[in-house]
Amino acid sequence: AGGAEQRRPRRRPGAERSPSPSRLDVSSSRFDPLLALYSASTPLPFPAAPCFNNLAEYESFQRGLLRPRGRRSATSRRGPSAAARRGPPAADPERIQRLRSLMVNAGPEQEAAEGGATARRRRAPRNVLTRMPLHEGSPLGELHRCVRDGVKINVHIRTFKGLRGVCTGFLVAFDKFWNMALTDVDETYRKPVMGKAFYAEPQLTLTRLFDRLKLQESSGKKGADSKTVSEELALTNDSQTLALKAGSGRARAEDEHERQKRLGRAGEKKMPGDSLHLAARGEADVGSGTARTEGASAAGTRARSQSRKKRRPKVDYQQVFTRHINQIFIRGENVLLVHLAH
Amino acid sequence: MEVSHSVKERTIAENSLVILLQGLRGHVTTVDLRDESTATGRVTNVDAFMNVRLAEVTFTDRQGTVSCLDELFVTGRNVRYVHIPDEVDIRTTIEQQLQAIHRVRYFGGRDKGRKEFPRAKHK
């Protein structure tokens, strides 16, 4: 008996004595794996179990996809090559049914466990509309709140450098690039100013924009001379600039620039007003002072009101425009910031 | 409803608001450009990068010079605004475009043809 046992591994599967069943039974305590591998009569605990080539296949099967037929042909091919792993070929419908029942049970559990985001056919659609609510907790989530609650927003639009203007409206849709679709839009903006004025120009802010607009509108309503408007605006600019940079050398230069602009806007007139202006400029060279500015401008206005007939159309490069647009799409690249109006 | 033939462009469009612009195909709109010029014409095509093709265009230069052009191509980056015509409903247009993409993607039924998102195959 001892010799037979020693020789057992070398013998061909067909020639050996059948060992006790408990040695070959997987669930018993006396299971001998080596024996089981070489034995011809190892009973399979689940003869109809599907056979897989690797863990990945098993995983795929567990996820409950596809054809039992494909699986079966794989099994039949692999069957003879494996050493003693021969199970009786189960009947097709029965096998399929069992597999199917496995799939149906595994399916909902799998879905629940993984949150439904598996590679199933009917995956949750991911498109621009479904992505909008996904940004909860981030600034884009705030944007989504605006869409949901119909909050009016102010979108600051940028020019190549700095602020261009504001669009106020209701947000309909947005995306991760901050592209936005707005409805019922009022746009307040100013064309970017170029050339020498660009260097002298203090940075456009929202306050300045609306101040200018208010001035424009109020002057327009009074039906006043448009030159007066530019005078007032220049005054505002001057006083602002001077107030901000009092005493610095730069102020003087800016003063000059402002005055030049004012003159340019007013148009060159061959009138006594001109000489007054020149005198004013001369004075400016000596020193800066608000009083002098006012004096000069007052004189200028008087002079210009006399020369109304020879008025030439002048372009106010710093004019603020307003327009209403029903529906607009804004490319996200041009958005500076979004401000929620309460 | 013409959907782009490129899978990459389709996914980019599907996940961004460019799809709204693609729904404006055939409508007459105004495109404001980055350099303050404007182009008004009929939208022929918009791709995933917001490149816009317009036909029968009135192009207003940033200086104010108006010109009439048969066709105009605007690079996506140069777009600032696109005015959406009043008769277009934003939400509906987006949904229609998404449906068009969905139809193209799942064309040919379940087990036929090359699939866009290949299902995990067992064996």
Side-chain angles (χ1 to χ4, degrees):
Chain A
E5 279 186 275
Q6 278 171 6
R7 279 195 306 243
R8 202 188 303 122
R10 278 185 269 118
R11 291 224 195 143
R12 267 165 285 142
E16 65 189 15
R17 233 174 339 125
S18 59
S20 58
S22 59
R23 313 276 324 249
L24 294 177
D25 184 7
V26 182
S27 50
S28 85
S29 54
R30 293 187 59 213
F31 176 64
D32 182 1
L34 194 57
L35 179 61
L37 272 178
Y38 284 96
S39 156
S41 54
T42 312
L44 285 182
F46 298 100
C51 303
F52 304 109
N53 296 316
N54 51 55
L55 275 179
E57 269 194 49
Y58 170 61
E59 210 183 342
S60 303
F61 165 69
Q62 260 227 320
R63 297 225 174 135
L65 300 168
L66 294 187
R67 316 156 218 217
R69 186 176 305 232
R71 233 174 277 120
R72 189 182 170 276
S73 58
T75 324
S76 57
R77 255 183 281 130
R78 291 281 174 270
S81 63
R85 220 189 321 154
R86 278 184 268 138
D92 236 354
E94 184 210 328
R95 189 190 175 83
I96 291 174
Q97 211 177 43
R98 229 176 302 164
L99 293 174
R100 269 227 192 97
S101 64
L102 264 170
M103 277 164 58
V104 171
N105 291 339
E109 281 166 15
Q110 203 70 21
E111 290 269 341
E114 301 189 17
T118 59
R120 284 193 145 256
R121 208 183 312 135
R122 298 281 138 67
R123 54 194 269 193
R126 304 250 286 172
N127 54 49
V128 58
L129 292 176
T130 64
R131 279 178 198 273
M132 274 169 46
L134 288 183
H135 298 281
E136 194 61 47
S138 88
L140 287 173
E142 274 300 302
L143 267 194
H144 178 61
R145 191 175 63 85
C146 296
V147 176
R148 229 181 30 210
D149 303 340
V151 179
K152 189 155 189 142
I153 59 173
N154 303 327
V155 183
H156 294 220
I157 304 292
R158 57 176 291 248
T159 173
F160 61 91
K161 190 168 170 186
L163 178 73
R164 178 177 188 262
V166 198
C167 288
T168 89
F170 297 97
L171 189 59
V172 178
F174 68 93
D175 65 3
K176 67 178 180 183
F177 303 108
W178 290 70
N179 294 332
M180 297 189 279
L182 294 174
T183 288
D184 187 24
V185 178
D186 286 304
E187 194 192 3
T188 310
Y189 62 99
R190 197 187 78 171
K191 301 286 175 82
V193 66
M194 300 302 299
K196 287 201 185 131
F198 173 63
Y199 295 106
E201 180 80 16
Q203 199 179 55
L204 182 66
T205 67
L206 212 60
T207 338
R208 289 208 187 105
L209 189 71
F210 282 103
D211 282 345
R212 182 174 280 276
L213 180 65
K214 233 184 307 168
L215 268 169
Q216 264 175 222
E217 281 179 346
S218 59
S219 312
K221 280 179 200 150
K222 279 187 233 156
D225 188 7
S226 49
K227 285 173 226 147
T228 327
V229 175
S230 47
E231 282 295 319
E232 287 184 38
L233 291 170
L235 249 180
T236 328
N237 278 341
D238 279 339
S239 49
Q240 274 181 3
T241 333
L242 292 172
L244 286 171
K245 299 174 185 169
S248 68
R250 191 135 185 279
R252 224 168 282 134
E254 282 218 44
D255 206 335
E256 270 299 295
H257 275 290
E258 292 290 358
R259 214 149 297 186
Q260 275 179 4
K261 264 189 293 176
R262 191 157 38 95
L263 287 174
R265 258 181 266 122
E268 289 353 304
K269 301 285 180 285
K270 315 159 200 94
M271 281 273 116
D274 257 7
S275 50
L276 275 168
H277 271 289
L278 288 167
R281 280 178 70 189
E283 283 184 298
D285 285 329
V286 174
S288 60
T290 321
R292 216 172 291 119
T293 317
E294 284 177 352
S297 65
T301 322
R302 252 184 284 122
R304 241 167 267 109
S305 56
Q306 292 166 8
S307 65
R308 204 169 293 205
K309 281 182 191 169
K310 287 200 179 173
R311 191 177 21 174
R312 251 176 265 145
K314 48 167 194 46
V315 188
D316 182 6
Y317 290 104
Q318 298 185 41
Q319 191 186 8
V320 178
F321 299 97
T322 311
R323 61 178 174 173
H324 177 82
I325 306 153
N326 285 333
Q327 296 188 109
I328 204 170
F329 169 90
I330 305 179
R331 189 179 156 95
E333 194 188 346
N334 301 291
V335 172
L336 248 183
L337 62 91
V338 175
H339 168 219
L340 278 61
H342 291 289
Chain B
M1 203 68 86
E2 301 101 39
V3 181
S4 162
H5 289 276
S6 149
V7 177
K8 179 175 149 196
E9 285 199 31
R10 271 208 297 269
T11 34
I12 295 174
E14 187 191 20
N15 292 314
S16 78
L17 269 193
V18 154
I19 202 165
L20 168 62
L21 297 187
Q22 287 180 343
L24 294 182
R25 227 176 247 127
H27 288 89
V28 175
T29 49
T30 304
V31 180
D32 289 8
L33 270 56
R34 210 165 44 157
D35 63 347
E36 313 285 339
S37 46
T38 63
T40 310
R42 206 169 30 86
V43 176
T44 320
N45 192 38
V46 180
D47 72 0
F49 308 100
M50 226 186 276
N51 298 330
V52 181
R53 283 192 185 274
L54 298 165
E56 294 144 22
V57 184
T58 313
F59 181 70
T60 308
D61 192 6
R62 62 168 175 252
Q63 265 84 31
T65 324
V66 182
S67 53
C68 293
L69 311 163
D70 283 342
E71 288 198 39
L72 180 67
F73 176 89
V74 180
T75 312
R77 284 214 66 206
N78 287 310
V79 171
R80 181 183 272 141
Y81 300 136
V82 176
H83 296 241
I84 301 178
D86 293 344
E87 65 262 14
V88 168
D89 177 53
I90 294 175
R91 192 108 194 166
T92 314
T93 318
I94 298 180
E95 282 168 7
Q96 279 170 355
Q97 288 295 123
L98 288 173
Q99 264 179 30
I101 292 185
H102 188 269
R103 260 182 272 132
V104 167
R105 178 177 292 147
Y106 294 108
F107 180 78
R110 213 159 46 106
D111 300 323
K112 301 184 197 119
R114 185 173 78 99
K115 287 183 266 290
E116 192 154 328
F117 298 114
R119 288 175 291 171
K121 283 187 279 289
H122 170 67
K123 178 62 191 124

